């Protein structure tokens, strides 16, 4: 079970990741949230890593990760959060709405013109999705019409992801008929998970091959949902897949929080983590996140960083502190 005797040490786990400095182990043992420098894969990427010690057995991690983190109150920019509650595996998109109210006119115009703009905007849509908006009367497009197509776009992308995983993520049309492949980028991000390769190869394989290669041993728990964030006073819709797995062989929990669709501004966002039982009956929690945008024009470095951290469900370090309070830690 998850409460088996610890077979990890803080020093060994931090060393295995390859992203923490020599002095970080002492800080972690002092119950500090420690930030690590994660190498970015491309110039358009933002990456961060954290480690934290909590005074809980790792049996509780599943519940905290899947249900407690990322709620509406975790980030003031969340305008709506929808979780999968339907037993038939569907997700409710009825509350997809252009918010805040002051953004409506601008967003209706952006979507109404997105077919002719051919990717010269910050909207993440495939050529086929742009054509759906292009069929509207540009001069008389309503908020309801845009929302109805957005619901359709999100429902289709959700179904494709559930059926085909990363391969099912439709490319985003960019300027000059170029395309960006968020699925390929998420695959690249996932393949960089050094600690996961060592700690739980079966978990890593499932995150790459989903919905195939589900581990046949241990508990795999999953959750789906979507956010509507207010970013730059505009709605940004994001669909997510949360995955947790207890690997009995390695005696650790593996975690993944993947945003497989973000409606504007960013290409792909993913956080992966792990929880190891360590000395003194504590648990060591690790998290690394990667977020990217190729729309650098118009995004200053600070704005890009702010947007990236918010899409990950708030500032990661602050969320780790929230994790600590949820976990009843001193």
């Amino acid at each position: 079970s998850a409460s088996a005797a610890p077979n990890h040490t803080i020093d060994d786990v931090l060393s295995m990741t390859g992203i923490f400095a020599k002095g970080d182990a002492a800080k972690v043992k002092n119950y500090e949230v420690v930030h690590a420098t994660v190498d970015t894969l491309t110039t358009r990427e933002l990456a961060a890593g954290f480690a934290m010690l909590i005074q809980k057995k790792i049996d509780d991690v599943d519940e905290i990760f899947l249900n407690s983190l990322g709620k509406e109150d975790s980030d003031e920019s969340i305008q709506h959060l929808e979780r999968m509650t339907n037993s038939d595996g569907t997700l409710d998109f009825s509350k997809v709405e252009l918010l805040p109210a002051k953004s409506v006119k601008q967003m209706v115009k952006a979507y109404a013109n997105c077919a002719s703009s051919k990717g010269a905007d910050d909207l993440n849509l495939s050529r086929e999705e742009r054509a759906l908006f292009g069929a509207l009367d540009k001069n008389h497009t309503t908020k309801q019409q845009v929302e109805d197509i957005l619901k359709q776009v999100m429902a289709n992308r959700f179904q494709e992801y559930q059926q085909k995983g990363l391969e099912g993520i439709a490319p985003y049309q960019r300027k000059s008929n170029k395309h960006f492949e968020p699925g390929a980028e998420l695959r690249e991000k996932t393949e960089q998970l050094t600690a996961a390769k060592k700690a739980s190869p079966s978990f890593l394989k499932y995150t790459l091959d989903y919905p195939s290669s589900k581990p046949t041993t241990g508990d795999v728990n999953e959750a789906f949902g979507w956010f509507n964030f207010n970013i730059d006073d505009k709605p940004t819709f994001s669909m997510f897949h949360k995955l947790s797995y207890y690997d009995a062989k390695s005696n650790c929990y593996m975690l993944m929080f993947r945003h497989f669709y973000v409606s504007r501004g960013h290409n792909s966002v993913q956080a992966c983590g792990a929880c190891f039982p360590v000395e003194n009956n504590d648990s060591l929690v690790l998290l690394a996140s990667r977020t990217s945008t190729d729309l650098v024009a118009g995004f200053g470095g600070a704005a890009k960083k702010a947007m990236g951290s918010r899409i990950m469900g708030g500032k990661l370090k602050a969320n780790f502190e929230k994790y600590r309070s949820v976990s009843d830690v001193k």
Side-chain angles (χ1 to χ4, degrees), residues 79 97-99 103 107 228-229 234-237 263-264:
Q79 304 183 103
E97 187 181 355
L98 298 178
L99 296 168
S103 74
M107 294 309 295
N228 180 353
F229 291 101
K234 294 176 189 172
T236 301
F237 301 97
S263 67
R264 53 175 287 268

Side-chain angles (χ1 to χ4, degrees), residues 98 103 106-127 129-130 133-134 146 149-150 153 157 170-175 178-180 182 234-237 261-267 293-295 299 307:
L98 298 178
S103 74
Q106 185 182 3
M107 294 309 295
V108 166
K109 186 178 178 183
Y111 278 106
N113 287 283
C114 72
S116 54
S117 70
K118 294 181 179 176
D121 52 41
D122 75 343
L123 301 176
N124 287 332
L125 296 164
S126 67
R127 184 177 297 163
E129 289 163 347
R130 288 177 185 275
F133 289 103
V146 170
I149 295 176
L150 268 173
V153 165
R157 281 185 174 269
Y172 303 146
Q173 185 183 11
R174 295 291 187 237
K175 293 181 194 176
K178 289 182 181 175
H179 288 82
F180 181 83
K234 294 176 189 172
T236 301
F237 301 97
Y261 178 63
V262 184
S263 67
R264 53 175 287 268
H266 276 66
N267 296 321
T293 174
D294 64 348
L295 301 166
F299 282 107
M307 190 169 177

Side-chain angles (χ1 to χ4, degrees), residues 223-242:
F224 288 92
W226 61 268
F227 288 104
N228 180 353
F229 291 101
N230 175 347
I231 295 177
D232 306 329
D233 284 328
K234 294 176 189 172
T236 301
F237 301 97
S238 175
M239 285 189 286
F240 64 82
H241 177 198
K242 281 185 180 182

Side-chain angles (χ1 to χ4, degrees), residues 45-46 124 161 166 169 172 180 182-183 185-186 189-190 229 231 236-241 256-272 288-293 307-314 316:
E45 190 177 59
L46 298 158
N124 287 332
Y161 179 76
L166 296 176
I169 301 176
Y172 303 146
F180 181 83
E185 187 175 69
L186 282 166
K189 290 182 197 300
T190 308
F229 291 101
I231 295 177
T236 301
F237 301 97
S238 175
M239 285 189 286
F240 64 82
H241 177 198
M256 183 192 73
F257 193 1
R258 172 183 288 162
H259 293 249
F260 58 91
Y261 178 63
V262 184
S263 67
R264 53 175 287 268
H266 276 66
N267 296 321
S268 64
V269 185
Q270 181 169 278
C272 284
S289 82
R290 296 182 181 276
T291 178
S292 81
T293 174
M307 190 169 177
S309 65
R310 288 180 102 168
I311 286 185
M312 274 321 306
L316 281 172

